Amino acid sequence: MGKRRKKIFHPLIPLFPYSLVPFIFMPVLVAVGLQWGDEGKGRIVHSIARHAHAVARYQGGNNAGHTLVLGPKDILALHLVPSGIVYPKVRCYIGNGVVVDLKSLMDEVRLLERRGIRVRERLGISPLCHVILPYHLVFEKCLGEGLRLGTTQRGIGPAYSDKIARVGLRISDYLNPKSFKEKAGKNLRGKLSPFMSAPAIRELEQAVMKDYPSIANFIRPLVRNVSLELFEMNKKDRRIILESAQGTFLDVDFGTYPYVTSSNPIAGFAPCGVGLGPKTIGMVLGVAKLFATRVGEGPFPTEITGSLAHQIRESGLEYGATTGRPRRIGHLDLPMIKKACRINGVDRLALTKMDTLAGLPRLQICVGYDLKGEFLTEPPDDSSAYEELKPIYKELPGINGDLGSMTKYKDLPSAAKRLLKEVVEFAGVEPAVLSLGRSPKNQIILDQKFEKQWM
Ligand code: IMO
Ligand code: MG
């Protein structure tokens, strides 16, 4: 940005209207999860989206569960609709990288509208999104026993598999009744015939076809050229936020494969998942929780069980927003966060749920690992190495006090400042936001420049 700004103030430039200046003033922000999902991306996007022009999802599907707290008893769990929807002037988009269960999107939109949130006028979906159809869910269930990944059972993996195998249906195919009937019927029969009887397949096919007209009519007016609309906004210097689902260690390339989701939550994929150029991204906000959780199977080096895990789970309400499953709990793992900062190119950190740790007598934070006598400062890429990986901990004093009511850094107890310092020094990235509760009101801004530009 610095270099570009210098060019912008060329003596000739003031002669032209700003819209003609071929430089971008306002970078796009990517909010990305740095752990295994559930970092609090929803609450952070909620807190920075008030003055945004657009918020877009770029990958994943309704496996995501982004919980927003709008009032003391007013809680909203979003699965496909971006978190900006709670602000009446913010445009929301579902980019081409997302796989969309159209029926579940329709239900989510209706639910939001029943709550008085106007959605249809402000939501745009790319026709390039692949659709999740009921046969993807049935197929995932059939595979489930063998794979043992603990997925959300939302058909995510099967829909992305079809996309990559070039047999999937995009929204544009879905909206063409002829191609929908042909392709969906063929896929359904091909996928399910090894698992189901012919009459059961026919019954499912009839159900899919029966639902079709109402879903297609609902979706048709929402279809937009998302890439082009975001490009135009970006050219006009509008604030755009790209909101990830899941997190870095659920990334299909950089996560703990095969215990991952089937998309790329990392920030590098964000422009691709909405159809913007990579140079539009100017701010990567890495969201990390100050302890660790994971849902489903897979390696988790700092996992804890017993009463401490129970206490953290209950105090942090660590239950899946999508499936309701109790989340596995672990100590804060700094090498993972540092690796995630590297892979995502994180510019600023948003740290969440410090309040959940309040009252614990002491804190353990992982600062490295022992792998068969070797000291590692970064987690391995190969999941099988995790079996013998032993975390090395540093002990910190426990944090006491009513953190939820604090709004200034100077009011934080010294143990809280100490934890913050350890994270920032280890990650090598400055923090912008410290979240101390479920609502955007319970947070401390740690970077005034960030606040000025984004909040
Ligand atoms: P948000 O956006 C936490 C996990 C599942 C499973 C693995 C693969 O709320 O952070 P999938 O259904 O995606 O094929 O399952 O990924 N998973 C999540 N865990 N938060 C999420 O989303 C998740 N989305 C998927 O539990 O282990
Ligand atoms: Mg979740």
Side-chain angles (χ1 to χ4, degrees):
M1 281 303 290
K3 276 185 193 154
R4 281 190 202 147
R5 279 191 190 281
K6 268 186 200 152
K7 281 188 190 168
I8 289 161
F9 295 117
H10 186 277
L12 288 179
I13 297 256
L15 299 176
F16 297 97
Y18 265 22
S19 58
L20 295 180
V21 178
F23 300 106
I24 293 148
F25 297 103
M26 189 74 195
V28 176
L29 180 148
V30 181
V32 62
L34 302 184
Q35 292 152 312
W36 283 286
D38 305 320
E39 297 92 348
K41 297 176 291 293
R43 74 176 65 180
I44 294 299
V45 173
H46 183 195
S47 83
I48 62 174
R50 187 182 297 275
H51 301 295
H53 280 78
V55 181
R57 278 275 308 271
Y58 60 87
Q59 47 67 236
N62 60 331
N63 47 351
H66 296 176
T67 309
L68 314 191
V69 173
L70 307 177
K73 285 194 180 149
D74 194 3
I75 291 162
L76 193 62
L78 297 169
H79 302 286
L80 270 164
V81 176
S83 302
I85 204 72
V86 292
Y87 298 114
K89 290 196 176 144
V90 177
R91 293 272 314 154
C92 286
Y93 291 103
I94 296 178
N96 53 280
V98 178
V99 284
V100 186
D101 182 323
L102 298 173
K103 169 96 172 44
S104 123
L105 177 65
M106 189 168 91
D107 293 344
E108 190 171 327
V109 169
R110 285 190 173 145
L111 192 95
L112 290 167
E113 290 187 339
R114 275 202 296 278
R115 297 184 45 141
I117 301 172
R118 284 176 31 235
V119 181
R120 273 177 270 193
E121 303 86 324
R122 299 190 287 125
L123 180 67
I125 311 170
S126 167
L128 307 181
C129 291
H130 277 250
V131 298
I132 301 177
L133 287 163
Y135 56 80
H136 291 119
L137 279 78
V138 177
F139 185 66
E140 184 167 33
K141 207 167 174 195
C142 297
L143 287 181
E145 302 304 313
L147 276 175
R148 293 179 61 86
L149 299 177
T151 73
T152 58
Q153 297 286 316
R154 296 294 185 271
I156 304 294
Y160 276 117
S161 306
D162 280 3
K163 172 177 175 173
I164 300 305
R166 295 165 292 183
V167 296
L169 273 83
R170 293 168 158 194
I171 288 187
S172 51
D173 300 313
Y174 186 90
L175 294 178
N176 173 340
K178 193 164 164 271
S179 90
F180 168 73
K181 215 171 165 204
E182 262 169 34
K183 289 189 184 176
K186 192 169 160 211
N187 279 356
L188 189 152
R189 290 187 296 274
K191 269 201 179 345
L192 299 182
S193 53
F195 305 104
M196 285 166 80
S197 67
I201 290 180
R202 245 191 327 274
E203 204 176 302
L204 182 65
E205 193 173 347
Q206 277 162 4
V208 171
M209 299 304 163
K210 189 167 159 271
D211 280 347
Y212 176 76
S214 62
I215 300 177
N217 287 341
F218 187 91
I219 296 300
R220 197 168 276 113
L222 302 179
V223 174
R224 291 273 186 293
N225 188 335
V226 174
S227 161
L228 183 62
E229 289 190 19
L230 289 176
F231 175 78
E232 297 293 347
M233 281 185 192
N234 184 240
K235 238 177 30 179
K236 288 184 193 146
D237 200 17
R238 306 284 198 236
R239 283 191 179 92
I240 298 172
I241 296 173
L242 306 183
E243 176 181 12
S244 91
Q246 294 84 48
T248 304
F249 294 99
L250 288 174
D251 185 278
V252 68
D253 288 294
F254 290 99
T256 47
Y257 191 89
Y259 302 99
V260 291
T261 191
S262 298
S263 66
N264 291 104
I266 57 167
F269 183 77
C272 175
V274 295
L276 278 173
K279 286 192 224 158
T280 57
I281 309 296
M283 170 60 70
V284 178
L285 183 66
V287 186
K289 193 149 68 176
L290 286 162
F291 50 96
T293 61
R294 170 159 211 174
V295 202
E297 303 299 314
F300 188 177
T302 63
E303 182 167 19
I304 48 174
T305 50
S307 62
L308 180 58
H310 179 78
Q311 194 180 338
I312 294 175
R313 185 179 300 114
E314 296 311 309
S315 136
L317 301 173
E318 292 294 348
Y319 290 87
T322 299
T323 58
R325 290 179 288 178
R327 295 179 185 145
R328 295 158 67 191
I329 307 285
H331 294 300
L332 180 63
D333 190 329
L334 291 181
M336 293 204 100
I337 290 180
K338 184 172 181 177
K339 181 175 178 180
C341 286
R342 172 170 70 77
I343 291 169
N344 290 289
V346 172
D347 295 301
R348 288 288 179 276
L349 287 168
L351 300 169
T352 63
K353 299 194 97 165
M354 185 183 260
D355 53 307
T356 300
L357 299 173
L360 300 178
R362 64 194 75 79
L363 303 174
Q364 308 280 350
I365 56 171
C366 171
V367 291
Y369 316 95
D370 176 344
L371 183 64
K372 295 190 225 162
E374 193 190 342
F375 179 68
L376 301 185
T377 51
E378 193 173 275
D381 284 327
D382 176 8
S383 277
S384 63
Y386 279 78
E387 278 163 31
E388 298 191 61
L389 201 68
K390 292 192 187 74
I392 297 166
Y393 290 108
K394 183 169 180 176
E395 193 170 294
L396 298 185
I399 302 168
N400 290 307
D402 178 15
L403 299 180
S405 61
M406 292 177 188
T407 52
K408 291 196 176 69
Y409 174 79
K410 69 175 176 47
D411 299 335
L412 283 174
S414 61
K417 289 181 181 162
R418 169 82 192 277
L419 174 62
L420 205 57
K421 186 167 170 275
E422 294 283 345
V423 177
V424 167
E425 280 181 6
F426 200 102
V429 178
E430 289 299 318
V433 185
L434 174 67
S435 163
L436 297 162
R438 303 186 80 196
S439 143
K441 287 183 190 128
N442 308 124
Q443 67 186 15
I444 297 179
I445 307 299
L446 299 163
D447 181 340
Q448 306 307 324
K449 217 172 132 198
F450 179 90
E451 183 183 30
K452 221 169 156 186
Q453 189 171 14
W454 288 103
M455 301 176 80

